[in-house]
Amino acid sequence: KKSPHAETLRQRWMDDPDPTVASAGWALTSDRVNRKPEGLDLPGLLDVIDAEMKDAPERLQWAMNATLAAIGIENPDLRDRA
């Protein structure tokens, strides 16, 4: 999370076909939502979560759910959707 490469890795890993790697990308995303959400497409992230979470492997679901919770907690205007 503290690596200077975290943002690059976050973006690359989120789309990785390996669900373990993708879950690491989502974990970094959840951290970013909490710490520095500027520049993130939060509604777009909610779209991806809505479309993909139900069919994702359990580990990936947990990571996506953490991002979903972070969005809802940190953004009252998106709370109903999250």
Side-chain angles (χ1 to χ4, degrees):
K1 293 178 183 179
K2 295 181 181 182
S3 167
H5 307 289
E7 180 59 18
T8 301
L9 294 173
R10 180 191 77 78
Q11 292 174 9
R12 186 180 318 154
W13 288 348
M14 281 185 67
D15 295 327
D16 197 280
D18 181 332
T20 301
V21 176
S23 69
W26 280 97
L28 289 173
T29 300
S30 143
D31 184 65
R32 172 123 186 250
V33 168
N34 286 322
R35 294 177 189 254
K36 189 179 177 191
E38 299 82 17
L40 286 176
D41 177 9
L42 299 179
L45 289 172
L46 291 173
D47 289 342
V48 173
I49 291 168
D50 187 43
E52 298 178 11
M53 189 167 80
K54 67 180 179 241
D55 296 322
E58 188 173 319
R59 183 176 188 155
L60 182 52
Q61 283 182 353
W62 278 98
M64 293 172 100
N65 193 55
T67 301
L68 179 67
I71 291 171
I73 290 166
E74 298 295 329
N75 300 278
D77 55 319
L78 296 173
R79 195 165 290 153
D80 287 341
R81 185 166 175 215

